[in-house]
Amino acid sequence: MRTSLIEIRLLEDYLQQRLSPEDKLLLEARLLLEEGLQERLSLQQRCYQLIQVYSRESVREQLQRVEHALFTQPAHKRLVQKIKQYFL
């Protein structure tokens, strides 16, 4: 595997807390010593945060489409009535 991919996997394992205590300690030492490694870690962490936000928005949009289809189509009228009974 290419060195950059190995580094990405190592940083991912660090962010996901999947490293052994020894590997974590070694990486933390590298973060202090290697120029640019801390920045690459921060960028990777930010990417994961953006992916998570995008995923949430995507799921939210899908749920809104399902809700709209369910509550506006006459074919689902009985189902909607049953659902409403649970909340009344």
PDB file of all heavy atoms in Angstrom, residues 7 10-11 13-14 19-35 37-38 41:
ATOM      1  N   GLU A   7      -0.730   6.155   5.912  1.00  0.00           N
ATOM      2  CA  GLU A   7      -0.875   7.255   6.863  1.00  0.00           C
ATOM      3  C   GLU A   7      -2.343   7.593   7.099  1.00  0.00           C
ATOM      4  O   GLU A   7      -2.766   7.810   8.232  1.00  0.00           O
ATOM      5  CB  GLU A   7      -0.127   8.493   6.374  1.00  0.00           C
ATOM      6  CG  GLU A   7      -0.198   9.641   7.366  1.00  0.00           C
ATOM      7  CD  GLU A   7       0.582  10.846   6.895  1.00  0.00           C
ATOM      8  OE1 GLU A   7       1.811  10.856   7.084  1.00  0.00           O
ATOM      9  OE2 GLU A   7      -0.044  11.769   6.325  1.00  0.00           O
ATOM     10  N   LEU A  10      -3.783   5.037   9.338  1.00  0.00           N
ATOM     11  CA  LEU A  10      -3.276   5.217  10.698  1.00  0.00           C
ATOM     12  C   LEU A  10      -4.000   6.372  11.389  1.00  0.00           C
ATOM     13  O   LEU A  10      -4.435   6.244  12.540  1.00  0.00           O
ATOM     14  CB  LEU A  10      -1.765   5.472  10.673  1.00  0.00           C
ATOM     15  CG  LEU A  10      -1.092   5.735  12.013  1.00  0.00           C
ATOM     16  CD1 LEU A  10      -1.194   4.508  12.915  1.00  0.00           C
ATOM     17  CD2 LEU A  10       0.360   6.125  11.807  1.00  0.00           C
ATOM     18  N   LEU A  11      -4.161   7.484  10.688  1.00  0.00           N
ATOM     19  CA  LEU A  11      -4.857   8.634  11.267  1.00  0.00           C
ATOM     20  C   LEU A  11      -6.326   8.310  11.523  1.00  0.00           C
ATOM     21  O   LEU A  11      -6.893   8.719  12.535  1.00  0.00           O
ATOM     22  CB  LEU A  11      -4.714   9.853  10.354  1.00  0.00           C
ATOM     23  CG  LEU A  11      -3.289  10.404  10.198  1.00  0.00           C
ATOM     24  CD1 LEU A  11      -3.265  11.552   9.198  1.00  0.00           C
ATOM     25  CD2 LEU A  11      -2.687  10.805  11.522  1.00  0.00           C
ATOM     26  N   ASP A  13      -7.551   5.314  12.176  1.00  0.00           N
ATOM     27  CA  ASP A  13      -7.585   4.442  13.357  1.00  0.00           C
ATOM     28  C   ASP A  13      -7.398   5.255  14.636  1.00  0.00           C
ATOM     29  O   ASP A  13      -8.025   4.974  15.652  1.00  0.00           O
ATOM     30  CB  ASP A  13      -6.515   3.354  13.248  1.00  0.00           C
ATOM     31  CG  ASP A  13      -6.856   2.297  12.218  1.00  0.00           C
ATOM     32  OD1 ASP A  13      -8.036   2.225  11.793  1.00  0.00           O
ATOM     33  OD2 ASP A  13      -5.950   1.542  11.813  1.00  0.00           O
ATOM     34  N   TYR A  14      -6.562   6.270  14.572  1.00  0.00           N
ATOM     35  CA  TYR A  14      -6.346   7.147  15.730  1.00  0.00           C
ATOM     36  C   TYR A  14      -7.634   7.901  16.063  1.00  0.00           C
ATOM     37  O   TYR A  14      -8.060   7.939  17.216  1.00  0.00           O
ATOM     38  CB  TYR A  14      -5.207   8.123  15.445  1.00  0.00           C
ATOM     39  CG  TYR A  14      -4.935   9.084  16.571  1.00  0.00           C
ATOM     40  CD1 TYR A  14      -4.252   8.674  17.707  1.00  0.00           C
ATOM     41  CD2 TYR A  14      -5.352  10.411  16.496  1.00  0.00           C
ATOM     42  CE1 TYR A  14      -3.989   9.565  18.747  1.00  0.00           C
ATOM     43  CE2 TYR A  14      -5.096  11.298  17.521  1.00  0.00           C
ATOM     44  CZ  TYR A  14      -4.409  10.871  18.643  1.00  0.00           C
ATOM     45  OH  TYR A  14      -4.159  11.753  19.672  1.00  0.00           O
ATOM     46  N   LEU A  19      -6.469   2.314  17.852  1.00  0.00           N
ATOM     47  CA  LEU A  19      -5.043   1.989  17.979  1.00  0.00           C
ATOM     48  C   LEU A  19      -4.764   1.370  19.338  1.00  0.00           C
ATOM     49  O   LEU A  19      -5.413   1.704  20.335  1.00  0.00           O
ATOM     50  CB  LEU A  19      -4.192   3.254  17.827  1.00  0.00           C
ATOM     51  CG  LEU A  19      -4.110   3.882  16.443  1.00  0.00           C
ATOM     52  CD1 LEU A  19      -3.237   5.124  16.495  1.00  0.00           C
ATOM     53  CD2 LEU A  19      -3.574   2.905  15.423  1.00  0.00           C
ATOM     54  N   SER A  20      -3.778   0.503  19.351  1.00  0.00           N
ATOM     55  CA  SER A  20      -3.316  -0.032  20.635  1.00  0.00           C
ATOM     56  C   SER A  20      -2.656   1.111  21.406  1.00  0.00           C
ATOM     57  O   SER A  20      -2.242   2.111  20.813  1.00  0.00           O
ATOM     58  CB  SER A  20      -2.314  -1.159  20.402  1.00  0.00           C
ATOM     59  OG  SER A  20      -1.125  -0.626  19.837  1.00  0.00           O
ATOM     60  N   PRO A  21      -2.550   0.995  22.716  1.00  0.00           N
ATOM     61  CA  PRO A  21      -1.907   2.060  23.496  1.00  0.00           C
ATOM     62  C   PRO A  21      -0.490   2.379  22.993  1.00  0.00           C
ATOM     63  O   PRO A  21      -0.092   3.547  22.965  1.00  0.00           O
ATOM     64  CB  PRO A  21      -1.880   1.493  24.914  1.00  0.00           C
ATOM     65  CG  PRO A  21      -3.012   0.526  24.957  1.00  0.00           C
ATOM     66  CD  PRO A  21      -3.084  -0.065  23.575  1.00  0.00           C
ATOM     67  N   GLU A  22       0.237   1.350  22.562  1.00  0.00           N
ATOM     68  CA  GLU A  22       1.599   1.566  22.077  1.00  0.00           C
ATOM     69  C   GLU A  22       1.601   2.357  20.771  1.00  0.00           C
ATOM     70  O   GLU A  22       2.367   3.318  20.611  1.00  0.00           O
ATOM     71  CB  GLU A  22       2.319   0.227  21.860  1.00  0.00           C
ATOM     72  CG  GLU A  22       2.495  -0.603  23.111  1.00  0.00           C
ATOM     73  CD  GLU A  22       1.259  -1.439  23.476  1.00  0.00           C
ATOM     74  OE1 GLU A  22       0.336  -1.574  22.633  1.00  0.00           O
ATOM     75  OE2 GLU A  22       1.221  -1.932  24.614  1.00  0.00           O
ATOM     76  N   ASP A  23       0.726   1.959  19.837  1.00  0.00           N
ATOM     77  CA  ASP A  23       0.649   2.652  18.555  1.00  0.00           C
ATOM     78  C   ASP A  23       0.138   4.081  18.734  1.00  0.00           C
ATOM     79  O   ASP A  23       0.575   4.998  18.043  1.00  0.00           O
ATOM     80  CB  ASP A  23      -0.241   1.894  17.573  1.00  0.00           C
ATOM     81  CG  ASP A  23       0.410   0.607  17.087  1.00  0.00           C
ATOM     82  OD1 ASP A  23       1.650   0.495  17.141  1.00  0.00           O
ATOM     83  OD2 ASP A  23      -0.340  -0.297  16.648  1.00  0.00           O
ATOM     84  N   LYS A  24      -0.776   4.260  19.659  1.00  0.00           N
ATOM     85  CA  LYS A  24      -1.293   5.599  19.936  1.00  0.00           C
ATOM     86  C   LYS A  24      -0.184   6.496  20.456  1.00  0.00           C
ATOM     87  O   LYS A  24      -0.037   7.642  20.016  1.00  0.00           O
ATOM     88  CB  LYS A  24      -2.429   5.517  20.956  1.00  0.00           C
ATOM     89  CG  LYS A  24      -3.034   6.853  21.293  1.00  0.00           C
ATOM     90  CD  LYS A  24      -4.131   6.725  22.331  1.00  0.00           C
ATOM     91  CE  LYS A  24      -4.636   8.101  22.715  1.00  0.00           C
ATOM     92  NZ  LYS A  24      -5.540   8.073  23.849  1.00  0.00           N
ATOM     93  N   LEU A  25       0.618   5.970  21.358  1.00  0.00           N
ATOM     94  CA  LEU A  25       1.722   6.737  21.914  1.00  0.00           C
ATOM     95  C   LEU A  25       2.747   7.099  20.831  1.00  0.00           C
ATOM     96  O   LEU A  25       3.224   8.240  20.766  1.00  0.00           O
ATOM     97  CB  LEU A  25       2.399   5.947  23.041  1.00  0.00           C
ATOM     98  CG  LEU A  25       3.468   6.675  23.844  1.00  0.00           C
ATOM     99  CD1 LEU A  25       2.875   7.893  24.527  1.00  0.00           C
ATOM    100  CD2 LEU A  25       4.086   5.730  24.860  1.00  0.00           C
ATOM    101  N   LEU A  26       3.050   6.148  19.959  1.00  0.00           N
ATOM    102  CA  LEU A  26       3.981   6.419  18.861  1.00  0.00           C
ATOM    103  C   LEU A  26       3.442   7.492  17.921  1.00  0.00           C
ATOM    104  O   LEU A  26       4.175   8.394  17.496  1.00  0.00           O
ATOM    105  CB  LEU A  26       4.263   5.136  18.073  1.00  0.00           C
ATOM    106  CG  LEU A  26       5.190   4.132  18.737  1.00  0.00           C
ATOM    107  CD1 LEU A  26       5.216   2.831  17.942  1.00  0.00           C
ATOM    108  CD2 LEU A  26       6.588   4.713  18.856  1.00  0.00           C
ATOM    109  N   LEU A  27       2.163   7.407  17.590  1.00  0.00           N
ATOM    110  CA  LEU A  27       1.581   8.407  16.699  1.00  0.00           C
ATOM    111  C   LEU A  27       1.566   9.778  17.359  1.00  0.00           C
ATOM    112  O   LEU A  27       1.861  10.784  16.720  1.00  0.00           O
ATOM    113  CB  LEU A  27       0.168   8.015  16.273  1.00  0.00           C
ATOM    114  CG  LEU A  27      -0.498   9.025  15.339  1.00  0.00           C
ATOM    115  CD1 LEU A  27       0.292   9.202  14.045  1.00  0.00           C
ATOM    116  CD2 LEU A  27      -1.914   8.621  15.029  1.00  0.00           C
ATOM    117  N   GLU A  28       1.250   9.839  18.625  1.00  0.00           N
ATOM    118  CA  GLU A  28       1.236  11.123  19.320  1.00  0.00           C
ATOM    119  C   GLU A  28       2.630  11.742  19.361  1.00  0.00           C
ATOM    120  O   GLU A  28       2.775  12.966  19.257  1.00  0.00           O
ATOM    121  CB  GLU A  28       0.634  10.972  20.716  1.00  0.00           C
ATOM    122  CG  GLU A  28      -0.867  10.741  20.646  1.00  0.00           C
ATOM    123  CD  GLU A  28      -1.519  10.413  21.973  1.00  0.00           C
ATOM    124  OE1 GLU A  28      -0.803  10.109  22.953  1.00  0.00           O
ATOM    125  OE2 GLU A  28      -2.767  10.450  22.026  1.00  0.00           O
ATOM    126  N   ALA A  29       3.650  10.906  19.476  1.00  0.00           N
ATOM    127  CA  ALA A  29       5.023  11.417  19.407  1.00  0.00           C
ATOM    128  C   ALA A  29       5.313  11.938  17.994  1.00  0.00           C
ATOM    129  O   ALA A  29       5.919  13.013  17.834  1.00  0.00           O
ATOM    130  CB  ALA A  29       6.015  10.320  19.786  1.00  0.00           C
ATOM    131  N   ARG A  30       4.877  11.203  16.979  1.00  0.00           N
ATOM    132  CA  ARG A  30       5.062  11.650  15.590  1.00  0.00           C
ATOM    133  C   ARG A  30       4.339  12.959  15.333  1.00  0.00           C
ATOM    134  O   ARG A  30       4.818  13.820  14.589  1.00  0.00           O
ATOM    135  CB  ARG A  30       4.558  10.592  14.616  1.00  0.00           C
ATOM    136  CG  ARG A  30       5.499   9.421  14.429  1.00  0.00           C
ATOM    137  CD  ARG A  30       4.963   8.445  13.409  1.00  0.00           C
ATOM    138  NE  ARG A  30       4.778   9.071  12.089  1.00  0.00           N
ATOM    139  CZ  ARG A  30       4.047   8.544  11.106  1.00  0.00           C
ATOM    140  NH1 ARG A  30       3.432   7.383  11.281  1.00  0.00           N
ATOM    141  NH2 ARG A  30       3.920   9.162   9.962  1.00  0.00           N
ATOM    142  N   LEU A  31       3.144  13.111  15.938  1.00  0.00           N
ATOM    143  CA  LEU A  31       2.387  14.350  15.771  1.00  0.00           C
ATOM    144  C   LEU A  31       3.171  15.550  16.298  1.00  0.00           C
ATOM    145  O   LEU A  31       3.069  16.655  15.755  1.00  0.00           O
ATOM    146  CB  LEU A  31       1.026  14.256  16.472  1.00  0.00           C
ATOM    147  CG  LEU A  31      -0.004  13.353  15.807  1.00  0.00           C
ATOM    148  CD1 LEU A  31      -1.176  13.090  16.740  1.00  0.00           C
ATOM    149  CD2 LEU A  31      -0.495  13.965  14.499  1.00  0.00           C
ATOM    150  N   LEU A  32       3.932  15.337  17.348  1.00  0.00           N
ATOM    151  CA  LEU A  32       4.749  16.409  17.910  1.00  0.00           C
ATOM    152  C   LEU A  32       6.006  16.681  17.073  1.00  0.00           C
ATOM    153  O   LEU A  32       6.456  17.819  16.982  1.00  0.00           O
ATOM    154  CB  LEU A  32       5.159  16.068  19.347  1.00  0.00           C
ATOM    155  CG  LEU A  32       4.027  15.979  20.372  1.00  0.00           C
ATOM    156  CD1 LEU A  32       4.562  15.456  21.694  1.00  0.00           C
ATOM    157  CD2 LEU A  32       3.366  17.342  20.544  1.00  0.00           C
ATOM    158  N   LEU A  33       6.550  15.649  16.466  1.00  0.00           N
ATOM    159  CA  LEU A  33       7.842  15.765  15.792  1.00  0.00           C
ATOM    160  C   LEU A  33       7.754  16.016  14.292  1.00  0.00           C
ATOM    161  O   LEU A  33       8.593  16.725  13.738  1.00  0.00           O
ATOM    162  CB  LEU A  33       8.673  14.507  16.049  1.00  0.00           C
ATOM    163  CG  LEU A  33       9.007  14.216  17.516  1.00  0.00           C
ATOM    164  CD1 LEU A  33       9.669  12.859  17.648  1.00  0.00           C
ATOM    165  CD2 LEU A  33       9.902  15.319  18.077  1.00  0.00           C
ATOM    166  N   GLU A  34       6.770  15.430  13.629  1.00  0.00           N
ATOM    167  CA  GLU A  34       6.685  15.504  12.171  1.00  0.00           C
ATOM    168  C   GLU A  34       5.930  16.745  11.733  1.00  0.00           C
ATOM    169  O   GLU A  34       4.764  16.928  12.070  1.00  0.00           O
ATOM    170  CB  GLU A  34       5.976  14.267  11.603  1.00  0.00           C
ATOM    171  CG  GLU A  34       6.899  13.176  11.187  1.00  0.00           C
ATOM    172  CD  GLU A  34       6.152  12.033  10.540  1.00  0.00           C
ATOM    173  OE1 GLU A  34       5.386  12.261   9.580  1.00  0.00           O
ATOM    174  OE2 GLU A  34       6.336  10.910  11.023  1.00  0.00           O
ATOM    175  N   GLU A  35       6.603  17.535  10.956  1.00  0.00           N
ATOM    176  CA  GLU A  35       5.977  18.753  10.447  1.00  0.00           C
ATOM    177  C   GLU A  35       4.842  18.390   9.478  1.00  0.00           C
ATOM    178  O   GLU A  35       5.016  17.563   8.586  1.00  0.00           O
ATOM    179  CB  GLU A  35       7.023  19.592   9.718  1.00  0.00           C
ATOM    180  CG  GLU A  35       6.535  20.955   9.323  1.00  0.00           C
ATOM    181  CD  GLU A  35       7.638  21.799   8.721  1.00  0.00           C
ATOM    182  OE1 GLU A  35       8.799  21.662   9.136  1.00  0.00           O
ATOM    183  OE2 GLU A  35       7.308  22.580   7.819  1.00  0.00           O
ATOM    184  N   LEU A  37       2.098  16.722  10.031  1.00  0.00           N
ATOM    185  CA  LEU A  37       1.264  15.571  10.390  1.00  0.00           C
ATOM    186  C   LEU A  37       0.043  16.008  11.199  1.00  0.00           C
ATOM    187  O   LEU A  37      -1.065  15.521  10.965  1.00  0.00           O
ATOM    188  CB  LEU A  37       2.077  14.517  11.156  1.00  0.00           C
ATOM    189  CG  LEU A  37       1.365  13.206  11.446  1.00  0.00           C
ATOM    190  CD1 LEU A  37       0.902  12.528  10.158  1.00  0.00           C
ATOM    191  CD2 LEU A  37       2.265  12.261  12.239  1.00  0.00           C
ATOM    192  N   GLN A  38       0.231  16.936  12.125  1.00  0.00           N
ATOM    193  CA  GLN A  38      -0.891  17.436  12.930  1.00  0.00           C
ATOM    194  C   GLN A  38      -1.918  18.115  12.027  1.00  0.00           C
ATOM    195  O   GLN A  38      -3.121  17.933  12.196  1.00  0.00           O
ATOM    196  CB  GLN A  38      -0.397  18.428  13.999  1.00  0.00           C
ATOM    197  CG  GLN A  38      -1.507  19.003  14.859  1.00  0.00           C
ATOM    198  CD  GLN A  38      -2.218  17.962  15.698  1.00  0.00           C
ATOM    199  OE1 GLN A  38      -1.588  17.151  16.350  1.00  0.00           O
ATOM    200  NE2 GLN A  38      -3.540  17.975  15.691  1.00  0.00           N
ATOM    201  N   LEU A  41      -3.844  15.462  10.189  1.00  0.00           N
ATOM    202  CA  LEU A  41      -4.807  14.854  11.112  1.00  0.00           C
ATOM    203  C   LEU A  41      -6.027  15.754  11.268  1.00  0.00           C
ATOM    204  O   LEU A  41      -7.164  15.283  11.205  1.00  0.00           O
ATOM    205  CB  LEU A  41      -4.162  14.600  12.475  1.00  0.00           C
ATOM    206  CG  LEU A  41      -5.093  14.063  13.569  1.00  0.00           C
ATOM    207  CD1 LEU A  41      -5.542  12.646  13.241  1.00  0.00           C
ATOM    208  CD2 LEU A  41      -4.401  14.101  14.921  1.00  0.00           C
TER     209      LEU A  41
END
